Amino acid sequence: MTLFRPNWQALLSLLATLYSLTAVPFTATMNGSSSYLVIALLLLGAIGSMLRLSAMLEIAILVVSSLGAAALLIGGLTDATGTANAGYFAGLTAAWLLGWRLVTVLSGDGRNLGTLSSLLVPTLFGIWVLILWEAIVRGTGIPFVLLPPPSAIAVRVTTSTSILMADFNQTVLKAVLFGYIVGSLTGFIVAILADRYRFLANGLLPVGNMASALPMIGVAPVMVIWFGFDWQSKAAVVVVMTFFPMLVNTIAGLASAGEMERDLMRTYASTRWQSLFKLRLPAAMPFIFNALKINSTLALIGAIVAEFFGTPVVGMGFRISTEVGRMNLDMVWAEIALAAVVGSLFYGALALLERAVTFWHPSYRR
Amino acid sequence: MTDHSFIKHRLFPVGTILLAIVAIWYAFVVPMNAPFQRDLDRRAGVTSTTAEFLVKTMTQPKPTLPAPHQVAANLWKNTLMVKPWSKRSLIYHSWITLSATLLGFAMGTALGVAIAIGIVHIPALDRSFLPWIITSQTIPIIAVAPMIIVLMSSIGITGLLPKALISTYLSFFPVAVGMVKGLRSPDVLHLDMMRTYSATPMQTLWKLRLPASMPFFFASMKVAVAASLIGAIVGELPTGAVAGIGSKLLAGSYYSQTIDVFAALIAGSVVAILLVTAVDVIGRIVSIRMGAKTP
């Protein structure tokens, strides 16, 4: 048992750090001492992670060294866009490798950290995507019209909150919500009807399955012609898009209750409605929630794309298509970030609701 | 016996539903086109009998809702009566969209499989990347489409590739998620057996994990191929592309050519059905060749 425990991420990181020593200072405005501080941090992390330390200490060293070095490197780009040299990127690579090492340690020895690590690891990954995006875009001076750095997008989000809120109101609160509720509800009701009349189900299921694969988004121009430019046409597109997944999933879900349970209901002399409400609808819940989740994404896509076909001068899809034309890419990314947050929250809320409703399902058993 | 039940449980109900859809469609044509027709008649000073009026609502050049036979006539004219490679042919436009779809689908599938293999073999990737793949499915990715198209055209890349990239983007998620499930589907017993044979991870992948993942692979490819068609169509919208099903939709909506829009929609649906069926048939052939019982 030696004191050393080499790993390839730390070794590569060490090599990259040594290379970056040849190119101090890293950027036009970064002074030598902060460049050396970065190198010192990286050396600390690389060597620290190769020593036989306790997992907690190694994690602490890696967090401080990788994130600290990254913060200093990004800070060194102030007023120095596009002036980063090869040493800068070697340092960045070294920091990223240490970040990878950190994730490896967390996922390998992370069992004792439990849920904390299962949240921490993806968060670190997200942070690193942002760090690399920011540092590479600003370090190499990629033109703003191609890809704005995350910091510029964040600034745009805070300065144009009112526009974003207006677009959110138009697209999400009016078109998506209305269309989602009406579309899912109609699909559900037709599925209940189809369940009552076997013939209808036999006919609708293949048609619905096929329709789920069709590019339903294509009805958008028709709906704009029928219902005008405002949110009603977008809601109609969402209704059409969300109807079939709900129909197909609910029909499949209602058929999913086991033969034994159905026989049991029959021996209880339960009526059709009793059996539906007490056995088959609860059994169909995982399927229904699956459809609700699929629909949450489809609804946002439908509303945004329908706005490409004509809209009043407000709405997320409208903003995206016009600001792209005006090369205001930070605004486009701000809308995308908004869409991402809305989509994730929508999905997350559904997942929580599903957990509360289908708590009995085996996939939630511990 | 089986033929009889196929007719009774498949063909007859599905046929009835399709007929009902056409009937409902016709039933809606008259009331939806009537206001405009009444307007036309009033301006022309014509008073038509009910029968004449009904015929007129179904023969407008730019109806609000085209009658099925108008759409069928348009399809007939634009597929069979013109050369397939002429700009008026829907076959030509479908081919433009189909080529972008196929290229994007191939790239997306390859990328999805590669990511899945990485996730299954590298724990750090599994813990850090997989949650983001699942989160990214909740994001309306299509919102990025116009940006990709415009950006790529600003650096000089136009035509097939930008559309194919959107298709790639849409299709790699289902494949990656499905393949992670599929590659993890082998029994622990089987994995242990590979270990007793002292198989390398490569051998385990090739001889156990990949064959076991085939049902998942084809199921997720069906979703992915539909998604990549949507990607290709949406990719044709923002730049006002000159060819493809998406451009037909956009042009039709600009000039209120509803018949053209419906014909393009049906062309897109036919392409979708062909693609999904092709994946399905290949999946069946593969599963039979791998020794599955014929259903």
Side-chain angles (χ1 to χ4, degrees):
Chain A
M1 289 295 266
T2 54
L3 195 63
F4 267 116
R5 186 180 51 176
N7 58 74
W8 65 270
Q9 289 105 333
L11 283 173
L12 271 182
S13 173
L14 204 57
L15 277 181
T17 314
L18 291 179
Y19 173 77
S20 72
L21 262 175
T22 62
V24 171
F26 295 147
T27 70
T29 58
M30 203 170 176
N31 56 29
S33 59
S34 68
S35 298
Y36 282 118
L37 184 56
V38 169
I39 290 170
L41 274 171
L42 291 173
L43 287 176
L44 169 79
I47 294 169
S49 83
M50 285 195 284
L51 293 176
R52 203 168 278 281
L53 301 169
S54 75
M56 269 323 220
L57 190 57
E58 186 180 358
I59 287 169
I61 289 177
L62 282 171
V63 168
V64 170
S65 63
S66 64
L67 291 182
L72 281 172
L73 283 171
I74 285 175
L77 281 172
T78 320
D79 302 324
T81 305
T83 60
N85 61 15
Y88 182 89
F89 290 108
L92 188 66
T93 313
W96 170 67
L97 283 166
L98 291 181
W100 188 339
R101 175 70 198 156
L102 173 60
V103 168
T104 311
V105 172
L106 279 175
S107 32
D109 311 331
R111 267 170 231 114
N112 42 3
L113 289 168
T115 49
L116 183 67
S117 134
S118 71
L119 276 178
L120 203 60
V121 171
T123 313
L124 276 173
F125 183 85
I127 291 174
W128 269 102
V129 168
L130 289 181
I131 289 175
L132 290 178
W133 179 357
E134 179 86 21
I136 291 174
V137 165
R138 284 176 60 198
T140 57
I142 290 175
F144 189 80
V145 291
L146 280 186
L147 187 65
S151 56
I153 298 165
V155 168
R156 180 59 103 156
V157 169
T158 50
T159 53
S160 36
T161 330
S162 59
I163 296 178
L164 288 173
M165 278 317 290
D167 292 344
F168 172 77
N169 183 36
Q170 171 78 11
T171 303
V172 178
L173 292 188
K174 288 179 183 164
V176 168
L177 222 51
F178 180 84
Y180 179 79
I181 293 172
V182 172
S184 302
L185 210 60
T186 333
F188 181 74
I189 291 169
V190 174
I192 298 278
L193 278 179
D195 183 63
R196 176 70 186 77
Y197 304 101
R198 202 62 230 157
F199 181 79
L200 203 58
N202 281 342
L204 274 176
L205 202 55
V207 174
N209 266 326
M210 215 65 243
S212 307
L214 299 185
M216 275 296 165
I217 202 85
V219 300
V222 180
M223 294 302 168
V224 171
I225 293 171
W226 286 356
F227 296 101
F229 277 175
D230 210 356
W231 64 271
Q232 287 88 347
S233 59
K234 282 82 205 169
V237 175
V238 176
V239 169
V240 174
M241 285 185 78
T242 52
F243 174 78
F244 286 105
M246 190 48 143
L247 175 72
V248 172
N249 274 289
T250 310
I251 291 180
L254 288 175
S256 74
E259 206 53 49
M260 295 276 272
E261 288 90 345
R262 284 170 203 235
D263 277 348
L264 185 67
M265 291 306 276
R266 219 163 292 140
T267 59
Y268 289 160
S270 63
T271 64
R272 182 179 281 277
W273 287 110
Q274 281 171 328
S275 142
L276 181 68
F277 279 111
K278 301 217 188 281
L279 169 66
R280 309 209 356 260
L281 264 185
M285 274 304 157
F287 291 81
I288 293 172
F289 271 100
N290 185 30
L292 284 175
K293 284 181 185 169
I294 295 172
N295 281 349
S296 72
T297 319
L298 283 180
L300 274 172
I301 290 178
I304 289 177
V305 172
E307 287 182 3
F308 296 166
F309 284 96
T311 166
V313 290
V314 64
M316 291 161 79
F318 164 79
R319 196 75 57 204
I320 288 169
S321 54
T322 51
E323 298 294 328
V324 159
R326 294 162 59 188
M327 290 292 165
N328 281 338
L329 282 214
D330 50 346
M331 191 68 214
V332 178
W333 278 99
E335 292 284 355
I336 290 170
L338 176 64
V341 170
V342 170
S344 308
L345 286 182
F346 204 166
Y347 193 92
L350 283 171
L352 285 180
L353 193 62
E354 178 181 21
R355 192 168 274 240
V357 173
T358 62
F359 57 90
W360 46 268
H361 197 264
S363 60
Y364 294 122
R365 238 174 252 154
R366 283 188 177 259
Chain B
M1 176 62 202
T2 46
D3 280 347
H4 179 71
S5 74
F6 176 76
I7 290 172
K8 195 179 168 198
H9 294 296
R10 265 330 256 289
L11 214 55
F12 187 48
V14 173
T16 313
I17 294 290
L18 290 178
L19 274 181
I21 291 174
V22 173
I24 294 171
W25 187 347
Y26 264 113
F28 269 98
V29 166
V30 176
M32 285 197 69
N33 293 333
F36 184 60
Q37 190 58 45
R38 247 177 246 130
D39 209 36
L40 280 182
D41 281 359
R42 196 164 39 75
R43 276 191 226 165
V46 186
T47 41
S48 38
T49 62
T50 316
E52 276 172 3
F53 187 75
L54 279 183
V55 171
K56 275 185 190 169
T57 56
M58 292 188 195
T59 50
Q60 287 177 2
K62 286 186 181 183
T64 312
L65 174 64
H69 65 262
Q70 287 179 298
V71 178
N74 185 296
L75 276 172
W76 177 265
K77 195 183 77 192
N78 287 332
T79 50
L80 298 174
M81 304 306 282
V82 289
K83 292 196 189 84
W85 54 87
S86 89
K87 289 243 151 87
R88 289 179 52 204
S89 169
L90 270 176
I91 296 177
Y92 166 78
H93 289 287
S94 302
W95 166 246
I96 297 285
T97 305
L98 181 67
S99 56
T101 306
L102 288 178
L103 180 63
F105 174 60
M107 293 194 296
T109 308
L111 187 64
V113 172
I115 288 178
I117 290 176
I119 283 177
V120 170
H121 287 94
I122 306 172
L125 214 54
D126 173 30
R127 298 289 288 271
S128 59
F129 197 39
L130 194 58
W132 285 99
I133 289 197
I134 291 166
T135 313
S136 69
Q137 290 213 293
T138 68
I139 298 168
I141 291 155
I142 221 102
V144 195
M147 201 174 60
I148 294 175
I149 299 281
V150 172
L151 286 188
M152 294 200 71
S153 71
S154 77
I155 53 173
I157 303 171
T158 51
L160 191 64
L161 196 60
K163 289 190 274 174
L165 276 182
I166 294 170
S167 291
T168 307
Y169 207 31
L170 280 178
S171 59
F172 95 88
F173 292 112
V175 174
V177 172
M179 277 305 272
V180 167
K181 243 185 217 164
L183 291 173
R184 289 207 174 126
S185 66
D187 230 25
V188 180
L189 274 175
H190 294 161
L191 285 170
D192 278 348
M193 179 130 105
M194 290 307 272
R195 212 165 294 139
T196 61
Y197 290 159
S198 85
T200 61
M202 193 64 200
Q203 285 169 326
T204 312
L205 175 70
W206 198 243
K207 296 201 191 294
L208 175 62
R209 286 187 191 271
L210 274 180
S213 71
M214 279 304 125
F216 295 85
F217 182 53
F218 282 100
S220 46
M221 276 219 295
K222 265 197 237 175
V223 179
V225 82
S228 40
L229 178 63
I230 293 174
I233 290 178
V234 173
E236 286 161 353
L237 298 180
T239 48
V242 283
I245 292 172
S247 77
K248 286 293 269 185
L249 288 175
L250 199 63
S253 93
Y254 275 158
Y255 304 115
S256 296
Q257 301 276 12
T258 31
I259 303 181
D260 278 358
V261 172
F262 271 86
L265 255 177
I266 288 179
S269 308
V270 170
V271 172
I273 291 170
L274 287 180
L275 284 172
V276 174
T277 314
V279 172
D280 194 44
V281 167
I282 295 172
R284 271 164 209 244
I285 292 173
V286 167
S287 87
I288 289 170
R289 287 287 294 271
M290 282 172 57
K293 273 185 227 133
T294 41

